[in-house]
Amino acid sequence: MIKIINNILFLLLIVLGFSSGEIQAQSQSKIKLDTNWKFQKGDFEEASKINFNDSKWESVTVPHDWAIYGPFDKNVDKQSVAIVQNGENVATEKTGRTGALPHIGTAWYRNKFTLPKDSKGKKIILLFEGAMSEPQVYLNGKKVGEWAYGYSYFYFDVSQFVEEGENTLSVKLTNKEFASRWYPGAGLYRNVSVIIKNNESIDQWGQFVTTPFINDEVAKVNIKTKTSGENTRLVTTIFDAEGHKLNSEESTIQFGNEFDQNIKVENPKLWSPETPYLYKAVSQLYVGKELKDVMSTPFGIREIKYEPNKGFSLNGKVTKFKGVCLHHDLGPLGVAVNKAALRRQMMILKDMGCNAIRSSHNMPSFEQLELADEMGFLFLAESFDEWAKPKVENGYHRFFEDYAEKDIVNLVRATRNHPSIVMWSAGNEVPDQWGEAGVKRAKWLQEIFHREDPTRPVTVGMDQVKATMESGFGAVLDVPGLNYRVHLYDEAFAKFPQGFILGSETASTVSSRGIYKFPVVQEKMKQYPDFQSSSYDLEACSWSNVPDEDFVLQDDKPWVIGEFVWTGFDYLGEPTPYDESWPSRSSYFGINDLAGLPKDRYYLYRSRWNTKESTLHILPHWNWEGREGEITPVFVYTNYNSAELFINGKSMGVQKKDSSTPQNRYRLMWMDVKYEPGTVKVVAYDDNGKAVAEQEVKTAGKPYQIVLDADRKTITANGEDISFVTVSVVDKNGIPCPTATNQLKFKVTGAGTYRAACNGDATSLEMFHKDTMKLFSGKLVVLVKSTTTAGDVKLEVNGAGLKSGKLNLVSTK
């Protein structure tokens, strides 16, 4: 059923205290086109026509990713290429670079919707929040428009194309081969909506809320609102988070087609990652006494500054970016946006102490930004991975001249009211870093951002730092962003005029959850026969480094304003250092794996970033049959400065953090431990030598029982909400079995459905949507999705020779 949201803001105003006498006309309605879609991969010349027979097409819901259902195939988008970003000079065959999922080709979506009876003569807008890619849009058999960039939000005024009664919408999407460096997904992967407005209305994305003056007593809220229609007046009211009316202003004078209002908020509560307080501006557009439109805009009151030698300040307090980069895929869900999946990711990051996110290398979803506002994340919103010069054969360079400005305008206007956004990025590792033309492009793009939003600076992630020093490219930018190149930070700081440096992309350490390799030494581009990377967190790529090297810069250089680690979570595609190996189809860079399960590295970052809670984590696991008597180093990631290690009750000595090496500064390491089965225990000491925390890891016996642990046991019966259930295996004594690889089977009954599973293994070719999967390093995650019916939901997980795991969930309206 297509969801029709009629006059939501009308109802909001009544709830917030406006009398019905003030509301004399319906202002706006929205139809969310989420169900009843027909989908078929392939090119159909007649599919744009009203009477086209799509009865045999697949029925799907939107958001939708057609490629995530596989199968994995090494021949999908197989590339013979030298990856310049990785320092390669010779082309070799790459098989998993874009995820090995069947995203190449053309596909069609069709749907029908009926406008409300009072829609005749009104303004009708068709809004797409993301369509991968090169969408061509038809309404009632006529082409209404097209777009190029698969990551862009865009809309069309389709007033002249709609008809009374039923309307037929057709969308053609085309994904070319060699068009991406990672898994881009495919389909209508974000929301599609029809917006019905009066002709006298607030423009789409036509409001801009800023807070140009703030002190303890008062804040000035400036609201610029672009409108259509003559003889209009605008009444804007500000409400606090509890819904209390604070202040309002009525305006009848426009500058061009824009109202410019200033409203006072007394004793403002400031937005920050620690206190993400949100206000709401409700603007009513009138002609005479008739209400024509209403817009409700959440916003935060906060002040940002970027200053030489001092860095970034939020609300007058110097704040370092403790950030991660995130690609747009959600692991087993593909790129189909899902708010529950995003919320889970961000809760995991929050617990780690992360305070910032970079949308890499594309425009963030509206849902992600809403959560960033609500949960408290600073946000670096990025636009492109290419400019005019190509990285891949069919990349964005094909569209740059015609679309770059339009894409930036849409990005900024659609998202600039989010207080979480504190910086824009005009690009990432663009080949245009060389030469005068690239400098001019950087300046041109930055000026577009400034024109649309004068309140935030602009950066570019630069990997060719020497080139940008010589060309002036780095000097042009508001914020010079360095991708890796830790050895060039001091030189860049000396040569760039800004007085600070951002680690726009850092680390690119590689690891596989629960996999440990010996001997334990630092390695670059290390490969193993099983196509895994060691979770001792000492392996990186040829151009990158381990986390500790960035920690030193962040802690010792006040002019380094923070970092965005590559990446917060593993993602589909880019399986470096196994780009040339099969099967290997997803990344190893994540602090968390593709299933969202923390790797050991998670606790290394948590020990430094989460300053409110203690961290004490031991690695590796202690199941090493066949390694008896062999050197098996033990690492401890903790916020405490010293700890003592015990093996089966025998002390291995006290280790203290020191500055002899970056690793010794941030990790406690016992390098000479010999393996013997039993118990590993660590006792942490405070600075006075008092024991304050302890942790144990034990050798497990044979797998005996399946254990289920849900991130949430109550979900919403909206057909979209998801409970993420971690599945693990324990022995008869309840000790987790860290090497278990049992094949499991999943069954969901009641008011829910089985959606997907993921084990975090970058080499697994098992499909996410199938109801069976092997454990990887003793764990996997099952996704249980709600239906639109409330009630009990039951998950049962079975495996041969194992005691079953059962879990009850509740789905509520």
Side-chain angles (χ1 to χ4, degrees):
M1 171 179 171
I2 293 174
K3 295 176 183 174
I4 301 180
I5 309 168
N6 278 319
N7 212 15
I8 293 176
L9 299 175
F10 169 80
L11 295 174
L12 171 69
L13 292 170
I14 293 176
V15 169
L16 294 178
F18 290 92
S19 70
S20 59
E22 291 177 273
I23 312 297
Q24 297 182 19
Q26 177 177 315
S27 56
Q28 185 180 131
S29 61
K30 185 175 182 179
I31 303 172
K32 186 178 177 182
L33 303 180
D34 54 356
T35 58
N36 293 336
W37 285 93
K38 288 293 196 176
F39 162 79
Q40 185 63 47
K41 194 169 180 183
D43 197 356
F44 304 89
E45 292 183 6
E46 306 295 312
S48 64
K49 296 185 177 179
I50 297 174
N51 59 358
F52 179 82
N53 183 3
D54 57 17
S55 60
K56 294 183 179 180
W57 286 15
E58 181 182 357
S59 296
V60 300
T61 57
V62 167
H64 179 249
D65 178 354
W66 83 58
I68 194 61
Y69 300 98
F72 292 108
D73 184 345
K74 68 180 291 185
N75 293 311
V76 172
D77 206 25
K78 184 165 63 176
Q79 302 180 16
S80 179
V81 62
I83 303 176
V84 176
Q85 292 76 30
N86 295 5
E88 296 179 1
N89 297 314
V90 179
T92 57
E93 181 178 285
K94 309 295 193 297
T95 54
R97 197 180 185 202
T98 55
L101 288 163
H103 70 280
I104 307 298
T106 297
W108 283 83
Y109 289 83
R110 286 170 53 86
N111 207 340
K112 299 179 187 296
F113 62 90
T114 301
L115 297 176
K117 292 181 180 179
D118 62 351
S119 300
K120 188 175 182 180
K122 291 192 174 182
K123 184 182 295 184
I124 312 297
I125 290 174
L126 186 57
L127 170 64
F128 291 84
E129 297 177 21
M132 190 64 69
S133 55
E134 301 184 45
Q136 297 183 39
V137 181
Y138 301 83
L139 193 59
N140 298 322
K142 298 178 180 177
K143 188 173 182 179
V144 300
E146 62 184 21
W147 210 262
Y149 193 32
Y151 294 106
S152 190
Y153 343 108
F154 61 94
Y155 65 90
F156 301 118
D157 185 333
V158 295
S159 305
Q160 61 179 314
F161 298 95
V162 295
E163 298 175 357
E164 291 188 61
E166 189 174 75
N167 289 267
T168 300
L169 173 63
S170 305
V171 183
K172 179 183 179 181
L173 298 174
T174 303
N175 278 0
K176 287 182 166 56
E177 62 180 357
F178 315 136
S180 181
R181 299 192 295 122
W182 56 86
Y183 175 67
L188 296 175
Y189 68 102
R190 292 178 183 166
N191 291 315
V192 180
S193 302
V194 178
I195 300 168
I196 304 149
K197 309 168 77 169
N198 290 310
N199 287 307
E200 303 89 349
S201 59
I202 298 170
D203 290 359
Q204 182 70 19
W205 305 330
Q207 192 165 78
F208 188 18
V209 182
T210 60
T211 54
F213 178 83
I214 304 169
N215 63 26
D216 292 340
E217 291 78 34
V218 67
K220 173 184 176 181
V221 180
N222 178 258
I223 304 172
K224 293 180 171 64
T225 309
K226 292 185 177 181
T227 65
S228 303
E230 297 180 354
N231 300 317
T232 56
R233 61 187 174 93
L234 188 71
V235 179
T236 299
T237 306
I238 292 179
F239 298 88
D240 65 16
E242 292 73 40
H244 301 127
K245 179 179 176 180
L246 301 182
N247 217 337
S248 64
E249 179 173 312
E250 179 176 337
S251 303
T252 57
I253 299 175
Q254 290 180 276
F255 301 89
N257 68 332
E258 184 177 81
F259 289 98
D260 193 339
Q261 299 174 306
N262 292 291
I263 304 177
K264 180 171 69 173
V265 173
E266 296 180 345
N267 304 313
K269 296 180 180 179
L270 304 188
W271 185 95
S272 71
E274 297 75 28
T275 58
Y277 192 90
L278 294 175
Y279 292 86
K280 186 172 291 183
V282 178
S283 295
Q284 302 164 269
L285 185 71
Y286 290 90
V287 174
K289 293 184 177 181
E290 186 177 4
L291 179 67
K292 291 293 186 179
D293 200 4
V294 181
M295 175 173 284
S296 178
T297 304
F299 70 95
I301 296 176
R302 56 103 176 107
E303 179 184 55
I304 60 172
K305 286 184 179 179
Y306 294 79
E307 301 171 278
N309 303 308
K310 187 175 181 181
F312 171 71
S313 295
L314 177 66
N315 302 325
K317 179 183 177 182
V318 174
T319 302
K320 292 261 190 176
F321 292 107
K322 299 183 289 186
V324 300
C325 300
L326 291 181
H327 263 314
H328 69 309
D329 81 68
L330 294 168
L333 296 175
V335 303
V337 71
N338 180 276
K339 201 164 186 177
L342 287 167
R343 183 183 286 110
R344 173 182 178 249
Q345 279 193 343
M346 294 165 80
M347 289 179 69
I348 291 168
L349 293 175
K350 200 77 173 175
D351 179 70
M352 188 174 70
C354 172
N355 69 358
I357 294 170
R358 174 190 181 212
S359 64
S360 314
H361 305 291
N362 48 264
M363 299 165 180
S365 67
F366 295 164
E367 291 86 350
Q368 189 178 37
L369 292 174
E370 289 166 5
L371 288 168
D373 290 348
E374 295 166 10
M375 298 175 69
F377 284 90
L378 305 168
F379 213 97
L380 170 49
E382 194 152 88
S383 49
F384 313 119
D385 189 53
E386 275 188 9
W387 291 353
K389 292 186 177 181
K391 292 183 185 179
V392 289
E393 183 179 323
N394 288 316
Y396 187 75
H397 67 275
R398 294 180 294 140
F399 315 123
F400 181 80
E401 294 298 334
D402 294 330
Y403 275 91
E405 181 169 6
K406 292 189 287 188
D407 285 326
I408 289 175
V409 167
N410 282 8
L411 166 64
V412 176
R413 291 184 183 178
T415 66
R416 60 189 172 185
N417 293 321
H418 290 280
S420 53
I421 296 179
V422 294
M423 197 188 319
W424 305 107
S425 171
N428 171 70
E429 297 182 359
V430 292
D432 313 64
Q433 289 168 88
W434 287 276
E436 295 178 359
V439 178
K440 292 177 180 177
R441 288 186 194 113
K443 189 172 187 297
W444 174 66
L445 293 171
Q446 184 165 270
E447 287 175 349
I448 298 170
F449 277 105
H450 288 171
R451 182 192 72 207
E452 298 299 321
D453 175 16
T455 72
R456 296 177 176 95
V458 180
T459 190
V460 169
M462 301 181 294
D463 61 331
Q464 303 302 319
V465 180
K466 286 282 191 181
T468 65
M469 291 178 189
E470 296 170 5
S471 69
F473 186 105
V476 165
L477 303 173
D478 297 328
V479 177
L482 267 61
N483 286 9
Y484 316 106
R485 312 302 188 265
V486 291
H487 61 288
L488 295 176
Y489 268 54
D490 284 302
E491 185 179 354
F493 174 64
K495 290 190 175 180
F496 291 152
Q498 296 89 342
F500 52 80
I501 297 289
L502 171 68
S504 45
E505 195 167 309
T506 64
S508 272
T509 305
V510 291
S511 64
S512 304
R513 177 182 54 80
I515 302 296
Y516 306 92
K517 303 295 186 179
F518 304 97
V520 179
V521 293
Q522 286 203 50
E523 298 274 10
K524 291 287 184 80
M525 301 300 287
K526 180 67 175 179
Q527 297 183 349
Y528 302 94
D530 62 358
F531 301 159
Q532 304 291 351
S533 295
S534 178
S535 200
Y536 274 106
D537 302 320
L538 290 173
E539 296 178 3
C541 303
S542 57
W543 70 92
S544 65
N545 52 271
V546 295
D548 321 69
E549 295 178 42
D550 288 299
F551 292 169
V552 170
L553 291 168
Q554 302 297 323
D555 288 345
D556 293 356
K557 312 285 188 183
W559 43 266
V560 178
I561 67 174
E563 66 172 318
F564 289 89
V565 181
W566 192 264
T567 53
F569 292 80
D570 280 338
Y571 55 93
L572 292 163
E574 282 194 322
T576 313
Y578 296 105
D579 302 279
E580 301 164 21
S581 304
W582 183 259
S584 189
R585 46 66 170 161
S586 58
S587 77
Y588 300 78
F589 296 119
I591 295 171
N592 301 275
D593 72 15
L594 198 69
L597 296 171
K599 302 179 185 179
D600 292 293
R601 203 164 359 123
Y602 173 91
Y603 300 96
L604 180 58
Y605 283 98
R606 190 181 193 274
S607 69
R608 183 174 172 273
W609 283 358
N610 187 333
T611 58
K612 295 182 178 180
E613 299 170 286
S614 64
T615 297
L616 187 59
H617 176 74
I618 303 170
L619 65 138
H621 63 71
W622 212 238
N623 272 58
W624 294 106
E625 185 177 356
R627 285 191 61 82
E628 289 81 2
E630 294 189 37
I631 296 293
T632 307
V634 174
F635 288 9
V636 169
Y637 297 157
T638 181
N639 57 305
Y640 299 107
N641 287 321
S642 65
E644 187 171 6
L645 180 70
F646 299 86
I647 305 294
N648 293 327
K650 181 181 178 181
S651 176
M652 298 290 108
V654 175
Q655 290 285 347
K656 295 183 179 181
K657 294 178 183 176
D658 62 55
S659 298
S660 58
T661 69
Q663 282 70 51
N664 288 92
R665 183 170 173 178
Y666 297 102
R667 317 182 194 201
L668 299 176
M669 301 180 291
W670 289 261
M671 299 301 296
D672 298 324
V673 175
K674 293 182 179 179
Y675 174 68
E676 60 182 68
T679 300
V680 180
K681 179 180 177 180
V682 65
V683 177
Y685 300 108
D686 65 15
D687 292 340
N688 297 317
K690 180 182 177 182
V692 289
E694 64 178 55
Q695 189 67 260
E696 288 184 344
V697 173
K698 296 182 178 182
T699 304
K702 293 181 179 180
Y704 172 73
Q705 181 174 357
I706 298 168
V707 176
L708 309 182
D709 182 26
D711 71 329
R712 291 180 302 137
K713 289 189 176 181
T714 300
I715 55 178
T716 303
N718 57 7
E720 301 172 0
D721 204 5
I722 295 175
S723 175
F724 291 80
V725 182
T726 300
V727 180
S728 55
V729 173
V730 297
D731 68 9
K732 285 187 176 182
N733 297 315
I735 300 171
C737 301
T739 61
T741 57
N742 305 67
Q743 188 80 41
L744 303 183
K745 191 169 179 61
F746 324 115
K747 183 179 180 182
V748 177
T749 56
T753 60
Y754 170 75
R755 178 60 184 86
C758 185
N759 61 15
D761 180 5
T763 71
S764 173
L765 300 183
E766 293 183 282
M767 294 314 308
F768 304 120
H769 66 285
K770 301 290 187 182
D771 62 356
T772 182
M773 186 170 283
K774 280 186 177 181
L775 292 165
F776 177 65
S777 294
K779 292 184 178 182
L780 57 77
V781 174
V782 170
L783 285 64
V784 179
K785 186 178 177 182
S786 70
T787 64
T788 55
T789 302
D792 295 332
V793 184
K794 294 184 179 180
L795 168 65
E796 183 173 348
V797 182
N798 297 293
L802 297 172
K803 189 175 178 181
S804 298
K806 297 179 181 180
L807 180 68
N808 293 325
L809 306 172
V810 177
S811 182
T812 62
K813 284 292 187 182

